[in-house]
Each structure stands twice: as C-alpha cells, then as structure tokens.
Amino acid sequence: TPLDRQNPIATLPPSFRWGVATSAYQIEGAIDEDGRTRSIWDTFCEVPDAIAKGDTGEVACDHYHRMPQDVALIRELGVDLYRFSVAWPRVQPHGRGPVNPAGLAFYDRLTDELLANGIEPWVTLYHWDLPQELEDAGGWPNRDTAYRFADYSMFVFDALQDRVKTWTTLNEPWCSAMLGYAYGAHAPGRRDFAASMRAVHHLLLGHGLATQRMRAASDGRHEFGITLNMGVATPETDSAADRDAARRSDALGTRIYLDPLVHGRYPADLVEDLAAQHITLPVEDGDLEVISTPIDVLGVNYYFSETVSGVDEDGNATDATGLPVSRPIPTGRPITAMGWEIVPEGFTQLLTRLHNDYGLPMVVTENGSAFDDEPDETGFVDDQDRIAYFDSHIGAVALARQQGADIRGYFAWSLMDNFEWAYGYDKRFGIVRVDYDTQERTPKASAHWYRDTIKALRAS
Ligand code: PNW
C-alpha cells in the first residue's frame, strides 16, 4: 500500500490511544508534606547555579493540593490515558524499609479520581527523584540501588495493581545516567563517565528485577515496560570519523539499553569503546537474564534528532583528554526554545528502525516542544508553533505505522507547563498554561487542537 503523506494523521485508527503526561517532581510541590523526604532533585536545586534563576520544585504546579481540578482538566481534553510518575521519597521515605501510607495515599486518590473520570492511569515508577539517602549510599552507580528500586516498586504495585494495568519502570535512564552522573547537568550533578556507565547497568538491573517481581505477582492482566528517550544521529559527511561519531552516539543513546533489554547482551562495539577507556560494565552472572525479562511495551520519548561530526573545528578526531570527538552540527532547521532542531522525519526513521531491530509493540510516552509563549491579557496562548510541532510529529508516527511499526498510542508532553529541570520554569512544554503567581491553568490553542484532533479521529 502506498504511504499517505498528505494527511497522515487521518490514517490512525479509532483504536489508537491518546494521553497526556507529567512527572511527580515537575508538578507536585508539597516537598515536605505527609512524610516525604528529600530527593536528589531537592538537593540539586540548592546547588548555586544548578537551576536557571534558582528555581526549585518546592511549589511547582501545586498539583499535590490541586489534583482533583487537574484531573478535571485532563477530562476536558477528551484523552483516554494519563501518564504520571510516583515519587519514591513519598512512598518509601528512606529508600529502604517501611512504606509510608500517607505518601502512598496520594497516588491511591489520584488513581481513583482518574478512573471516576473515565481516564486510564499509566504509572511510571521512577522519573528521576531518587531518595537522597540512597544517593548518599552511592546512588545508581551502587548495585544495591537496583534491589532497593525493586522493593519500592512492589510497594506501589501492591497498592495500585487492582486499578492500574500498565506499569513503566524507568523514565529515560539515559538522562539519569548521562545527565546525572556524566555531564552533571541533572541531579545528582556528578561528572564521572565511569560512574555513569555503572549507573546504566544498575538502572537496567533495577528495571529487570522490578519487572520480574511485578510479573510474578500479577494475575496476568498487567503490562510492563520501560521508557527510553531516543533520536537518530546522522553523520554530517560520509567520512569515517563522522560515521563513527554517529555509531557511538547510537551505541550510547539507544543500543546500550535496547540490546540488553531485548537480546540479553551489550553491544560489542560499545564494550570495545569502553575497554579503550579502561571501563568495564559491572555485569555479574545472571544479570543479563534478569535485564532481558520480556516486556510488553516499549515507551518511546522523542524530541529531536542530531547531525554529528567526528572532528572538532580544527579537524581533530580526539579531544584534549584523548577521547573521540562527537559534535552536534546545526543543520539550519528551525529550533524550539530548548535549542533542539525540529526533525519530524527523524521520528519516523527512529520508529521504523526500532520496529525492525527490536520488534516490540511501542507507545509514544512523550513528545512535545517548548516555545516562548506569549499569553494575552486573559492568559490565553495562541501557540501555532506548538500545534505545528504536534501535527508534524503525530503525522510522523502515523507514517511509521503505515510502514509496519506497531505503535499503539501517543502521549503529549506535557499536560501543563511545569518545572523543566535545570531550566526551571522558563521553558514551557504545556498544552495548558500555568500562571505561577496565581496557579491559574488556561488551556492553550494546542490543547483545543489536541482535543479536536482526537475527537475527529474517533468519529471517523
Ligand atoms: C524528558 N536531552 O527529558 C523528560 O522525560 C521530561 O521530564 C522533560 O520535561 C522533557 O523530556 C522535556 O525536556 C529530557 O538532553 C531531557 O536530550 C533532556 C533530553 C531529553 C529528554
């Protein structure tokens, strides 16, 4: 069948599922309530210059206190699904030991509120808010954290499994490992590449342990998965150096996760690259069997793709420390407020490639964009740029489906403007505007567009 490139969104079937997504630390606030302890993000927010304008998650969208109104907002969008994350330091304040019923109760109420409004809850167990006490004990580079994560996961599973069908263990382990432990841009702000590679393995191990235990406790009605952020890396030229830069970017961004998850082994080229830097992944007997425990769905988060060069401005293939160069090259495409290039065709390419190489059912668990929104005097934002981004990227998903990729749903990032990590409140990804002075929520033009698009597809 020929591809329908004219109006690809119209080719999505009525069974395709739609949602909006958030995460705990980015919206909840209430950081000291009902027994919650500090997470690595509370600590990181106190580091001078770590976060733009010194913003913190102390109040965020005050969602912890406004949850029922926010669920009503989701209902108005007419979506099927809501993806939220559970804050580990609320549920198990010391990262080990007893559960905190008052913290767990919030997610219990949220789940009930969603179901009462006809919205299916999708739970993410870890969206980056590690209890500080576990970081003090070594964090993700420490193997014990994987076992602690599996224990914590079981507390949440036991409490919500009667009402929540779909379970995601980790959100974007690349961000946890690389931004958190190698680049120092995210909590806990460490700059140690060897530590980040240990973190990768223990994140994957934690995913596998948690999946095995939840699966064993399940009556078979649940679905389990993990969410990865990925893009495609295109070599700037056909030179060996540029092609090698693209290969390394793909190894560290995609294959380092999916090869062990699906095939039960780390990529040979990556293991070789690491050996050249005197780094070995801390794999113990049986780990890869645990990590490759079958999953039911792969969550894909897509924001941008990159063109990369393997040489610096002076043509050198290695940097001052002797490591190979991998440098993103601007292509002249339009960018978002994050500085990320808008590359919808990269999304189609990514999804078809994931289908061909890994063959998993997929759901887009995040996709969206930040732009410099300009509200009118009523707080309304006419965000045609964000609508164009959604339109082209949902179209890209539809094209990948036409080429055989098994993609079952799409979550817009994000329900509302929120704490955008190191960028604080300056970068707005919401389809609903948040006025941080009044906490007033105002749906943007993109929220109306999203609702109307979903409605039209259901009627077709
Ligand atoms: C994701 N990168 O983070 C997260 O899952 C969200 O919490 C976040 O708000 C959203 O994307 C927008 O940033 C990412 O540097 C952070 O490539 C950084 C990158 C990708 C995703």
Side-chain angles (χ1 to χ4, degrees), residues 174 231-234 243-256 273 306 308 326:
W174 179 88
V232 290
T234 305
R243 281 187 285 119
D244 200 52
R247 173 193 63 76
R248 280 182 276 111
S249 161
D250 186 57
L252 275 176
T254 297
R255 291 184 285 115
I256 191 176
D273 289 350
E306 277 180 344
V308 293
S326 202

Side-chain angles (χ1 to χ4, degrees), residues 26 127-128 171-172 175 303-304 340 366 413 420-421 429:
Q26 293 180 275
H127 201 127
W128 308 353
N171 179 70
E172 302 189 348
C175 289
Y303 289 94
F304 62 95
W340 296 342
E366 283 179 30
W413 183 270
E420 180 49 32
W421 308 112
F429 276 88

Side-chain angles (χ1 to χ4, degrees), residues 395-433:
V397 173
L399 279 177
R401 271 184 58 101
Q402 290 177 40
Q403 292 166 70
D406 180 2
I407 309 155
R408 300 178 175 182
Y410 175 96
F411 288 84
W413 183 270
S414 177
L415 165 64
M416 57 187 160
D417 295 337
N418 57 50
F419 178 73
E420 180 49 32
W421 308 112
Y423 295 88
Y425 297 99
D426 254 15
K427 299 287 178 256
R428 295 174 177 270
F429 276 88
I431 61 174
V432 173
R433 179 170 180 87

Side-chain angles (χ1 to χ4, degrees), residues 304-305 330-343 369-372 385 389:
F304 62 95
S305 285
T331 66
R333 288 183 177 88
I335 57 173
T336 68
M338 298 296 283
W340 296 342
E341 289 198 345
I342 301 173
V343 195
S369 53
F371 287 102
D372 294 322
D385 38 17
Y389 183 99

Side-chain angles (χ1 to χ4, degrees), residues 29-150:
I31 60 172
D32 290 323
E33 281 177 53
D34 298 329
R36 180 189 182 279
T37 57
R38 293 305 166 111
S39 81
I40 55 174
W41 273 94
D42 299 293
T43 306
F44 194 58
C45 286
E46 289 171 359
V47 175
D49 300 321
I51 315 290
K53 296 190 175 162
D55 287 343
T56 78
E58 214 173 320
V59 179
C61 305
D62 195 33
H63 171 72
Y64 196 76
H65 299 122
R66 293 164 194 268
M67 181 272 283
Q69 297 94 296
D70 288 339
V71 171
L73 202 56
I74 301 167
R75 183 198 179 112
E76 279 169 42
L77 294 169
V79 295
D80 311 290
L81 318 166
Y82 175 55
R83 172 177 179 254
F84 63 92
S85 81
V86 175
W88 189 346
R90 288 195 195 283
V91 168
Q92 192 189 29
H94 303 287
R96 62 182 84 238
V99 69
N100 169 32
L104 202 44
F106 173 73
Y107 302 102
D108 202 71
R109 294 197 300 276
L110 170 58
T111 299
D112 284 343
E113 190 72 21
L114 288 165
L115 291 172
N117 283 277
I119 305 156
E120 185 183 329
W122 274 45
V123 167
T124 299
L125 288 160
Y126 184 74
H127 201 127
W128 308 353
D129 40 4
L130 187 72
Q132 181 61 41
E133 286 185 41
L134 290 187
E135 179 57 32
D136 296 342
W140 286 108
N142 177 14
R143 185 176 173 95
D144 183 58
T145 303
Y147 295 90
R148 302 287 67 79
F149 174 70

Side-chain angles (χ1 to χ4, degrees), residues 337-376:
M338 298 296 283
W340 296 342
E341 289 198 345
I342 301 173
V343 195
E345 63 277 16
F347 200 6
T348 306
Q349 234 180 300
L350 172 70
L351 291 165
T352 50
R353 179 271 176 114
L354 293 175
H355 174 69
N356 293 332
D357 288 359
Y358 299 105
L360 290 166
M362 293 181 276
V363 165
V364 177
T365 36
E366 283 179 30
N367 175 240
S369 53
F371 287 102
D372 294 322
D373 291 341
E374 283 170 35
D376 67 14

